Amino acid sequence: MIKHRQIALALVALVMASCNGTSSCILCGPKAANLEGTVSGLVGYRLQLQNGSTPLNASLNGTGANGSGILFGTANFNTPYNITVRTQPTNPSQTCAVANGTGNTGNADVTNIAVTCTTNPPRFVYVANRGAGNVSAFSLNAASGVLTPIAGSPFATGGNPVAVAADPTGAYAYVVNQLSGTIAGFTINRTNGALVAVSGSPFGTPANPTAVAIDPTGSFVFVTSGGTVSVYTITPGTGALVPLAGSLIATGPSAAAVVVDQLGESAYVANAANGTFAALTIDTTGLLSIEMGSPFAAGADPRALALNPSGQVLYVANSAANTLSALGGLPVSASASVAPISGSPYAVGITPTSIAVEPVNDFLYVANQGSNNVSGFKLKAGDGTLTALAASPFVAGMLPSAVTVDPTGKFAYVANSGANTISAYAIDPASGALSALVGSPFATGLQPSAIAISD
């Protein structure tokens, strides 16, 4: 017995010695190698990698994740690894590929994994025609920006469609019908862009719905109506909407617009009647809660919202003040205060009604319904401050009601509700100036009021 105990103690001593700095560890547990490399071209959010089927670390988000020496995760020494993309980024939609993603760790860190991302080109444009009760659909030439009507367009929606949104996967489109008190859901044909109503559509909403937004995971739809916002879950595979129990929440009088941040963690609602915006937190189930201190002052009759690429500054189009407010200190849950940034509010044209942020070269555009033009700004990446573009404002059609920018930052589109057209522009990547495309403007239905782009 004593001899056996002496042998056991000797083995313990050997293990302890070899596990304290020597390279010949005997009976030690497996050691871990870092899985490292580079990320390039990433501008979207929620990119996640996996080793085999195991998720690696947290999501990679935005341009700040680009660079070298990035730690993706770890794996035991002397084990195989297979790094692939688990979740592609959205906002904008991108496709990322992994190079040097397979091998064996051996007994050292892996440092040559390379992740390269490209933004998916725009393919389809959908325009809600308020006066016609339908949606005009176009295919978008990613090289020229020219629009071509899709066979079967326009597609019937419901009474007075005032807002449209496409989900991040490009699978579904949703249209808010103000007079009908419904939201119409469509499957997008990924080949030709045609719309087909999903089963159960249209779906009921509270009376007088005004705006729609979709979270970046493509899981939830947010609809404003009256003084509230409500949430619907998107059924995977069908696109059918199911009201989320307990989701209806009061935001303020005459909720007119809603925007969701790039991470799907915060939502903001413009309250037109009292010149404020409400800040809300989104939990993992889609339920909303009002942030402390909400609502916050914006400007007279706020009608549109947009976030800067980092999600830290909210831009508010104040239609009765002819200004654009820029509020910093977001997200509210992580901030000591919400306050106007330097220069806010910014002067724009008459009756601003829509805002679009160009994500590649950091420009911002505002459609001014009362002055038939578009104001353009250079957006400073660090703090979100704005500088008017030299050639601004840019001529639009009669009563421009909506502006949007394609995710590659090449083209801008403006719905002219008084002319029943959509104006198309090329964006100068250096100056941000807008120049009309060949064939622009393109005919739509009666009173186009909103635009959505899908890849």
Side-chain angles (χ1 to χ4, degrees), residues 177-207:
N177 302 305
Q178 191 169 34
L179 289 182
S180 301
T182 61
I183 180 168
F186 298 91
T187 296
I188 299 174
N189 184 309
R190 297 287 289 161
T191 300
N192 59 27
L195 300 179
V196 177
V198 304
S199 178
S201 179
F203 306 93
T205 68

Side-chain angles (χ1 to χ4, degrees), residues 193-269:
L195 300 179
V196 177
V198 304
S199 178
S201 179
F203 306 93
T205 68
N208 195 39
T210 52
V212 62
I214 303 174
D215 86 304
T217 69
S219 301
F220 308 108
V221 171
F222 303 84
V223 177
T224 56
S225 51
T228 67
V229 60
S230 51
V231 187
Y232 302 78
T233 59
I234 300 175
T235 303
T238 70
L241 298 183
V242 178
L244 182 61
S247 68
L248 184 70
I249 189 169
T251 61
S254 300
V258 57
V259 67
V260 177
D261 77 340
Q262 297 92 329
L263 296 176
E265 296 174 348
S266 299
Y268 304 94
V269 175

Side-chain angles (χ1 to χ4, degrees), residues 348-350 365-366 368 371-377 388-396 434:
V348 291
I350 300 172
Y365 300 97
V366 180
N368 303 305
S371 50
N372 299 328
N373 58 22
V374 174
S375 299
F377 298 87
L389 301 181
S392 177
F394 306 96
V395 175
L434 302 181

Side-chain angles (χ1 to χ4, degrees), residues 263-286:
L263 296 176
E265 296 174 348
S266 299
Y268 304 94
V269 175
N271 302 311
N274 67 358
T276 66
F277 75 92
L280 306 101
T281 297
I282 308 170
D283 73 13
T284 56
T285 69

